[in-house]
Amino acid sequence: MKVFLERLADIQVRHSQKVIVGSVLVTALLATGLPSIQLETDFQSSLPDDLGPIETQDKVESEFRSSSSIIILFQTNDESKEDSFVSDVRSPDMIRMQKDLEEELSSETIVGNVRSSASFFTEVPGSKEEVKRVVEASGSGDQLFNRDFTATQMYVSLEEEMSEENIRKATEKINKNLEQTPKQPGIDITVTGNPVIRTDIGDTLVDDSVTTISIASVLILGLLTLTRGRVYGPITFVPLFIGLIWTLGTMGHLGIPLTIATIALGAMILGLGVEYGSFITERIIEEKDERGSVEEALRSAVPTTGLAILGSSTTTIVGFSALLIASISFIRDLGLTLSIGIALTLVSALVITPSLILEYERWSK
């Protein structure tokens, strides 16, 4: 391995610009995977399929769609000051509104089935007593109404796969139809259900991921600048951030999803990988001060310090690789992405950092 690192150092000394250009091209290529990063917010899908309760729950959801429907909640507002406001959701006016909404939603290609209290009627009932009688006869009142009849639900299932993209499309269609449907006074309407919660979690995951990466980047860059100076600090940070881009791009290309477990991946990679470039930079500076030549400093630092951080990173990767035997999929994904991230930040530190230092020293002379 030391011979390989010596050859790497020789290539960096003779072709530092080509190394930098090649790294930029690799970064651009891997960055194309960033838009392909998938969100996985369905916790149950990450659980082992061979567990009895999980198999039963999957069967129940498949047969009855108990948690795979988008729910539209119609609820009376006690504080409403509108005239003729609805205080009982068994009102014929409520049935009329739900029936109109059912017809509109059923015409949407992405919607598979719509079910509400209006489904029991072919025509709008003439009185609240008729609504009560039909609902009681159906035996499904408990599924659609609460106990005091101040709230009722409409279940909307999708025609296509319950993916994040399809859920968002369906929710958008539902909200659009709700805006166009005449509302009853005193009724608040909310779109909810497990699928909608999943998309909200997905948005939170993305926001938190961007926030944690941004904060970690600013803090690490600031600390590197304080400890390494305003030149060598950014030089050390750039390969680290490139390694992060390589990691996230690889996730997109390999189809590794962003989950609750991997939400802090970016900050973790930055925190764990910063030492590799930092050690390389410090050693090159020390060797340059002793030898007076940045080329000789690089030829000495890369094989020695590179071998040390290679051993350190290997033990870290082996430790994270143990997570690959976990039975829960998002734990396996965490182990895989951390292992990939450590390996790629190591490569970027060994390959890019010395080349950047060499080019800066040559330019500054």
Side-chain angles (χ1 to χ4, degrees), residues 185-204:
I187 293 294
D188 294 332
I189 304 176
T190 306
V191 180
T192 184
N194 285 343
V196 177
I197 294 174
R198 281 176 52 187
T199 58
D200 288 343
I201 292 175
D203 293 337
T204 302

Side-chain angles (χ1 to χ4, degrees), residues 42 73 153 191 206 262 279 334:
D42 186 3
L73 177 65
Q153 300 179 115
V191 180
V206 173
T262 57
F279 290 158
L334 177 62

Side-chain angles (χ1 to χ4, degrees), residues 190-249:
T190 306
V191 180
T192 184
N194 285 343
V196 177
I197 294 174
R198 281 176 52 187
T199 58
D200 288 343
I201 292 175
D203 293 337
T204 302
L205 287 177
V206 173
D207 292 342
D208 286 351
S209 181
V210 172
T211 300
T212 54
I213 289 175
S214 300
I215 293 175
S217 297
V218 170
L219 293 177
I220 290 174
L221 177 59
L223 289 173
L224 286 174
T225 302
L226 287 174
T227 57
R228 296 286 181 264
R230 59 186 180 88
V231 173
Y232 290 112
I235 285 179
T236 305
F237 177 78
V238 168
L240 173 64
F241 197 79
I242 288 176
L244 176 60
I245 294 175
W246 289 357
T247 302
L248 296 176

